[in-house]
Amino acid sequence: MTELTLGKALGAGLRQAMRDDEKVVLLGEDIGKLGGVFRITDGLLDEFGASRVIDTPLAESGIVGTAVGLAFRGYRPVVEIQFDGFVYPAFDQIVAQVAKLHYRTQGRVKMPITIRIPWAGGIGAAEHHSESPEVYFVHTAGLRVIAVSNPEDAYRSLRQAIASDDPVIFFEPKRLYHHKGEVDLDAPLADAAPMGLARVVRSGTDATLIAYGAMVATALQAAEAAEDEGISLEVIDLRSLSPVDYDTVAASVRKTGRVVVAHEASREAGMAAEVIASITELCFEYLESAPLRVTGHDVPYPPAKLEKYHLPDLDRLLDAVDRVLDRPNSLTGADA
Amino acid sequence: MTELTLGKALGAGLRQAMRDDEKVVLLGEDIGKLGGVFRITDGLLDEFGASRVIDTPLAESGIVGTAVGLAFRGYRPVVEIQFDGFVYPAFDQIVAQVAKLHYRTQGRVKMPITIRIPWAGGIGAAEHHSESPEVYFVHTAGLRVIAVSNPEDAYRSLRQAIASDDPVIFFEPKRLYHHKGEVDLDAPLADAAPMGLARVVRSGTDATLIAYGAMVATALQAAEAAEDEGISLEVIDLRSLSPVDYDTVAASVRKTGRVVVAHEASREAGMAAEVIASITELCFEYLESAPLRVTGHDVPYPPAKLEKYHLPDLDRLLDAVDRVLDRPNSLTGADA
Amino acid sequence: MSPQITPIADTAQDLELAERILTPDGSRIANPQLDAFITDVDAASLRALHRDMVILRRIDAEGVALQRQGQLGLWAPCQGQEATQIGTARALAPQDYVFPSYRETGVIYARGAKPGDYVRMWRGEEGAGHDPAALRVAPLQIIIGAQTLHAVGYALGIRHDGADEVAVTYFGDGATSQGDVNEAMIFASSYQAPVVFVCQNNHWAISEPVSVQSQYPIAGRAPGFGIPSLRVDGNDVLACMAAMRWALAHARSGKGPAYIEAVTYRMGPHTTADDPTRYRKEDELDAWRRRDPITRLEAHLRAIGELSDEQVSQTQAAADVVAREMRAECLGMVTRPPLAVFDGVYAEPHTGLERQRGEYAAYLASFEGEA
Amino acid sequence: MSPQITPIADTAQDLELAERILTPDGSRIANPQLDAFITDVDAASLRALHRDMVILRRIDAEGVALQRQGQLGLWAPCQGQEATQIGTARALAPQDYVFPSYRETGVIYARGAKPGDYVRMWRGEEGAGHDPAALRVAPLQIIIGAQTLHAVGYALGIRHDGADEVAVTYFGDGATSQGDVNEAMIFASSYQAPVVFVCQNNHWAISEPVSVQSQYPIAGRAPGFGIPSLRVDGNDVLACMAAMRWALAHARSGKGPAYIEAVTYRMGPHTTADDPTRYRKEDELDAWRRRDPITRLEAHLRAIGELSDEQVSQTQAAADVVAREMRAECLGMVTRPPLAVFDGVYAEPHTGLERQRGEYAAYLASFEGEA
Ligand SMILES: Cc1ncc(C[n+]2csc(CCOP(=O)(O)OP(=O)(O)O)c2C)c(N)n1
Ligand SMILES: Cc1ncc(C[n+]2csc(CCOP(=O)(O)OP(=O)(O)O)c2C)c(N)n1
Ligand SMILES: [Mg+2]
Ligand SMILES: [Mg+2]
């Protein structure tokens, strides 16, 4: 086991994938000499050269469209979108091409493209640098969507995404890039759990907290805080947003009967809506109270000074836990 | 009252809006001489001239970006996207500009842009001509989203959308363009119900069917068919997808305790997920069974010959009604 | 200050400004730039090109007929563009790979399409009408301009592989307005990718005349991006072939992308769903009828004594055979079963979709007991 | 066949290919194309331009300092680009409207920004740092190239209104690769819209040298779209002003869009978050230090005896005052209260958002009893 930051784990994953398969090529803005604005591709230009680590012109549709062409030729392109808010110019190529070509050709043309997106907020960034666009891709049939929350997952699932013959939108919580964790760099990919599985990060019995990305850490904090009050929370890291591992989710809900789903993205038609609708379908008779959402508000991502009022934090999670448990507010003592 | 097709009602709405306010200008591909591929703008070039009915170069991002600039200058641009599947190249301008400029400038810059989208399937069209992208826009804070189901609503709400100081994504079910209905062309806009309200299209007591767009007609058929079996269904036409009129929805669910939500768009993280998650939050204790979704499958829109297996139809709605009522299958007699 | 480019005023003038080898009446003129590229084209090759164009026109007419008879959902006729499509596609090497738009019936024909390939997509049976690997042609692209970037990516792969191949992309005059098409030129130029851009300027994007997209020669855009370009008479099959050979040779020799604007005309409606009488004048059509690409080559071949009435009717008969096969294959197509709607979304199992398929299968099965 | 355009090999050569009035050592040379546009520029005007540039550099330095001190989240320095920004912006008429990118500190300065306007956005207080209507400048745009289309739409409105105004848009060399920027040229050309495109080619898009976007002069792209263009020495404030006056006059007189590429250099990092030592060489920077726009004008003014040491220190003092005010306003900014996060999303009430605001207000209120 090696201790790595999430950013370094991603870099290691890319390096390993490129060593494993010479068809893996990287495309993106500033990924060469600079190593990307987050330095995820640091050192890869030196090791693999400019024909596999390709600094592109500044045009996201161009990058993804070029990746599609490379996939036609049997390559496995890995695209870096510089920030979440810059994926939209590529939306057409992603939704109308990347997602549909396999279906259009009934598998005669494969799209093993991985689109990496440094993602979400909490870093005090300027506008367009803190977006949570994941549900656009979850709703798009033909794509797989991954959101990582720790270095170990990052390393493994990035390699799995690249090795997958399907297109994967790969979300990297940028505020965790510097967070450290143990990574087994030598674990064979073949032995790893499939990319689509959720993980029970902490077991509990009173309620299930479902999260992904950076929100998993907040959910864990909430579980710890709740424990002090004698409340036992189960925390699930979805890890895969499409497909969602509803077996794991439903098993937990059948046990606890109460659910809170948290994400940074805004609420209206967000990921939590999907999870709650599915849970309700799958476990209605087990539900003891209405599943709750703790999310960003339905506002454009606010200016940095206001983001702390937008992002779900420990208090908002605990507040929801109180409500889902029909308890008086544990923070303030007020009635639910 | 005048009998008009939905297409003609939309044309009448555009004409009226242009007469009411000279700042209203239309932009789109083929909207001039041709009157649009669906003839919605038929005759408008003749009446208002080429500086208000503007045939644009073939570039959707360009169209919407140009509309943004016109809005900066105090115009009220109405954009026609030729088909649902061609809105994606404009996604960046819609999500990052149209939706955010009011917030970015705290209202100093208004974006009274209406983006009309001929929408959804059921017409045996080629790929990209039958998409249901509504939830992408519903999830995008800063936009309003309307979906019409009949000529009267079309005429009124299109004028409301154009008169609104907010950007509105306006979905027109293309398979209903030729459907007729009574329209009161002279009803003053000021007296009309606000754009954001849902409508109870048919009252009932056993379960609530929620739909929008072309699916409303299918829901009504289902209600009629169910009536023959002594089942009383309430049918709600959402009309506004953002915001959703949850007062109307919740009132109905509190009465019936059972809900089916139907749409053509695929299921995963679709509009029905949002509606069900909200209903569960708002009316959990009233729910007698799990709200159900009847939707397109999580596949890219299929080739025309297969679309009937993709689109929710009367039978699939009735099947869901049986399930939500915990009844044996009324179509086949099989147990639920 | 940069030179002002002269706007193009009308479509008649348009063609005069393009490179040409055969004049509209079928006489051959010298073209110092292009002649070198077709020195090997003899009478037999000319007859073959003629035959290709005749067959293509017949296929196209059959497509229209099948649509009118309710056998196809839609058809996008290429009548009038036969010289552009056949001339350029016949210049390709077998290993080249094409990224076409929806109107390139002639291109897939030249790449060896089977009779059913022309209609499978338009009938609504499949997303793609042909096997991309078999023809080395990507599926017909409906999203305007999207395929041009795919060609550039493919070409980048060719360069990386050090292969002796060229990627080729076809698109219309309307498409030149799309961001993607411009980005494709930029990426191609940056990477010196072996890709050839073929713009079929058929003067219309549905109802919009080319002047809505550009009042200047479209080929004039490419040099600004560092891409050499040629504006060619798109109704002159020889000029199209020569220009394409120039472009392919340029790309193949490692000099990077090349660009061709073929100035031609869409004689039919945009698609069978379109009514062009709403927006264009009969005399424009008339003028272009006099520039018909097939008549032109036929006149030339007859003038040089290389085409007999008998040969013409043999060709026509061969074309009828192709049309008959196309019709037979079309009518014989069997729609896939309902559950096929779930097939081929993913390469690897997707648990969510599997569950849905299961539910739908059960739902379908619930009808099975029924009468 | 279209002429091949000559690639640009290095950045030194770059500037030599651009139009110029002041040489790097400050001598004035005749420029037959541009001189006519600045006949009225006398010594006093030159001193005003000098003063503008000195103040701008000071503002920029203060922005960097404030960021380093934790007062701003980010700052995008424009050091090195003062001549381009001041020269072009001082050519504008009051009624013109500007659509800038994030780096146009000099442009909003010239349009009358108040001290706090420079920092309000970068501090994270507001989405837009200034009042667009007051300056007739759209909010700084972060999405690369998006604003160019807005300028075209605005210009279309100007034309429709028959107004004597021009829309102007600023963007970088990197931006020229975006589809939007190309579409903007196409729409502008089609509509003959009164819009001026100003490309600040500062040689870098973050870590990518301009050659990744284009190995050919960027100004060379516009004519292909029917837009006349000028490539100008962006470190020569006189040339920038003259070129901009040419472009504005062109657009104002109904002749449609015009395009300027100002060849300049980003002396600082891309933003305060960037570390340029990772990707660029010190000697390149050195070479450009010798072409500094301020030194150049200063040398010229001193050579013609129109700038004294005293004037220079007065200017510096004035600049310090602006910087002090900017700092004071920055430090005095009060963040809006939590519920402001909901303000201004819509122009008209949105029931969903109102409900959310209510819930959040109740949630916040639940803490109020607490210690
Ligand atoms: C992105 C996108 N926008 C709009 C359309 C609708 N559309 C289909 S064909 C067409 C015109 C295309 O014109 P052109 O590029 O000249 O090709 P042509 O049809 O003449 O061959 C349009 C607007 C589309 N298919 N894709
Ligand atoms: C659509 C989009 N993609 C990527 C970025 C990230 N980004 C910010 S600035 C920049 C480089 C811009 O270079 P250039 O256009 O030359 O302007 P400069 O910064 O040199 O002024 C990039 C890639 C962005 N802001 N928007
Ligand atoms: Mg065309
Ligand atoms: Mg730059």
Side-chain angles (χ1 to χ4, degrees), chain D residues 292-357:
Chain D
D292 187 281
I294 301 186
T295 326
R296 186 184 307 196
L297 182 57
E298 208 164 302
H300 176 66
L301 278 167
R302 284 188 190 271
I304 62 173
E306 290 285 355
L307 194 70
S308 64
D309 286 351
E310 201 198 318
Q311 282 168 322
V312 169
S313 49
Q314 273 168 4
T315 301
Q316 201 55 61
D320 289 340
V321 170
V322 176
R324 259 201 309 279
E325 290 169 355
M326 175 176 159
R327 170 170 295 262
E329 287 218 22
C330 179
L331 271 59
M333 281 178 187
V334 179
T335 299
R336 290 175 288 157
L339 281 175
V341 79
F342 293 97
D343 288 349
V345 181
Y346 294 95
E348 296 160 14
H350 182 283
T351 51
L353 194 59
E354 306 277 296
R355 184 157 59 99
Q356 252 177 48
R357 176 199 279 268

Side-chain angles (χ1 to χ4, degrees), chain D residues 186-251:
Chain D
I186 290 164
F187 278 62
S189 175
S190 267
Y191 299 131
Q192 289 293 293
V195 57
V196 172
F197 295 92
V198 183
C199 175
Q200 288 182 77
N201 175 357
N202 66 4
H203 281 88
W204 292 92
I206 310 186
S207 75
E208 298 188 352
V210 59
S211 57
V212 173
Q213 325 291 339
S214 183
Q215 286 145 37
Y216 301 83
I218 288 170
R221 290 185 187 173
F225 295 91
I227 304 176
S229 70
L230 243 167
R231 190 161 199 272
V232 70
D233 181 339
N235 285 10
D236 173 351
V237 71
L238 269 183
C240 289
M241 177 177 261
M244 191 67 179
R245 285 179 168 184
W246 159 76
L248 289 165
H250 178 91

Side-chain angles (χ1 to χ4, degrees), chain C residues 81 102-103 172-175 200-206 208 266:
Chain C
Q81 302 178 218
Y102 45 84
R103 204 182 294 288
D173 46 302
Q200 288 182 75
N201 174 357
N202 65 5
H203 282 88
W204 292 93
I206 310 187
E208 297 187 353
R266 191 197 82 206

